[in-house]
Amino acid sequence: MSPFSDPSRYEEVLVSPLYLAGSNGTGDAGFAPVAHWPHHYLDDGPCQLLVTAPDQRIRIGWFGDDFELWKITASEEAVAPPRWTAIFNHVTPAEIVAGLTTALAQDYAASDPYENDGRFLADPSFYWADAVRPLLDAGWQSRRTYGFVDLVSPDGLAGAEIDSYREGPSSQFITLWAGPRGWGTRAEAVFTARTPAHLIAATAAAMASSAPVVRERHMIHREVEHLVTLTPVAPAAAPQGSRAPTPLDVRRTAVTEAVRRAARAPRTAADLRVMAAQSRTTSSARMRSSTLAPAAAARPPVASPPRRHSR
């Protein structure tokens, strides 16, 4: 049987850990926190959907056919160059992107565009640990090597690479990753040096979440399937014929059998009672029909309309 004709491939399952769930092919979860912001659908160019803050200082781009699937930026003004950039590749679960977009929506709602006081434009923290605190709290182990810090999850399947030197404002500061190396198996999120620490921490918290996410089985890469836990969303319903009979079923069966016995040969008192009940029901029906018949006959027939003569 072809794997594409196997209906179980489209069964919905709960996948954990979240960071190995991959993309479900849509950005719905990532866009949900900013669903009330202006949406711009672009027919030409690699960016297919652009969602912006009302004053366009925050921009969230969806590049549906590219390796770099998400590009999120923030600027002091709508026409100013980005202060920082976050890029998520095509394997990154949109639920992790939602960690960042949720924080951005909250920051923007609390900001005053005339004062330029948005927390999403805050200076980055001097301490790299502030940006990955949720990972450290979740037990991820750190290791320092020549100006870099590496964090690894307890299962060894996810991590963070931190450039503690931050050589320039647009240089890569932190890369969050999950899954085996490969084009279709490794999720990556890259943040530039001036990204506020609390925004990276919000993304890291979503990544470290223990809550499973829903996927169809075919969405899990075959090289990752043995690394995750898959749980059917709902157990299969038991066959109808195997359920235990209800009290109503028992009563209906008993009455049916009694009627059948009485029809064959009324030998017992119970059989006679059934026959009598049937007889009373039949007599009542006959009486109702005989009563209605004279009344119907007494009604005068409806007169036919007079025939019209042609001129």
Side-chain angles (χ1 to χ4, degrees):
M1 181 175 63
S2 169
F4 295 100
S5 62
D6 182 4
S8 66
R9 283 172 45 82
Y10 300 94
E11 175 190 16
E12 286 191 335
V13 292
L14 295 173
V15 185
S16 60
L18 178 155
Y19 49 72
L20 295 180
S23 173
N24 66 350
T26 71
D28 293 349
F31 284 116
V34 293
H36 56 293
W37 285 4
H39 286 47
H40 311 275
Y41 297 92
L42 310 175
D43 295 330
D44 300 325
C47 184
Q48 300 178 6
L49 173 62
L50 180 65
V51 176
T52 67
D55 62 6
Q56 297 197 10
R57 290 187 295 164
I58 300 174
R59 299 189 174 203
I60 304 169
W62 165 268
F63 297 72
D65 299 322
D66 284 5
F67 173 78
E68 295 179 344
L69 187 59
W70 301 79
K71 184 175 291 185
I72 303 175
T73 64
S75 307
E76 285 84 354
E77 298 177 0
V79 294
R83 181 180 177 90
W84 57 263
T85 301
I87 298 175
F88 299 82
N89 77 345
H90 69 298
V91 181
T92 306
E95 291 84 357
I96 293 178
V97 181
L100 175 57
T101 55
T102 298
L104 286 174
Q106 294 170 349
D107 285 358
Y108 185 82
S111 70
D112 184 343
Y114 295 100
E115 296 294 334
N116 203 24
D117 62 348
R119 194 174 176 220
F120 57 89
L121 297 173
D123 291 329
S125 173
F126 179 76
Y127 301 100
W128 60 264
D130 292 341
V132 291
R133 177 58 57 189
L135 304 182
L136 296 172
D137 292 344
W140 292 33
Q141 299 298 313
S142 63
R143 181 183 61 181
R144 294 175 177 267
T145 56
Y146 304 106
F148 289 85
V149 180
D150 291 330
L151 269 64
V152 180
S153 63
D155 61 8
L157 299 174
E161 299 173 356
I162 306 167
D163 180 359
S164 57
Y165 284 152
R166 309 185 206 187
E167 296 177 354
S170 61
S171 63
Q172 294 184 6
F173 169 40
I174 290 182
T175 299
L176 304 176
W177 62 269
R181 292 187 181 275
W183 183 87
T185 55
R186 172 155 290 198
E188 290 186 352
V190 179
F191 299 86
T192 57
R194 298 184 70 183
T195 308
H198 76 283
L199 296 179
I200 302 175
T203 311
M207 185 173 182
S209 172
S210 60
V213 293
V214 177
R215 294 289 186 270
E216 294 180 359
R217 283 185 180 271
H218 69 90
M219 296 175 180
I220 308 302
H221 197 282
R222 62 181 180 276
E223 295 181 17
V224 177
E225 191 170 4
H226 70 286
L227 302 174
V228 298
T229 300
L230 302 180
T231 306
V233 170
Q240 185 70 18
S242 63
R243 68 177 178 86
T246 65
L248 180 59
D249 294 333
V250 174
R251 288 196 298 271
R252 286 174 175 171
T253 301
V255 171
T256 301
E257 290 301 320
V259 171
R260 288 178 179 174
R261 288 196 306 269
R264 290 195 302 269
R267 298 177 180 177
T268 66
D271 292 336
L272 293 174
R273 286 195 296 271
V274 171
M275 292 288 287
Q278 288 180 319
S279 177
R280 288 194 297 271
T281 301
T282 303
S283 300
S284 299
R286 287 175 178 172
M287 289 179 64
R288 285 195 299 271
S289 61
S290 60
T291 302
L292 293 174
R299 287 196 298 268
V302 179
S304 301
R307 181 178 301 175
R308 293 184 179 181
H309 300 280
S310 60
R311 296 180 180 179

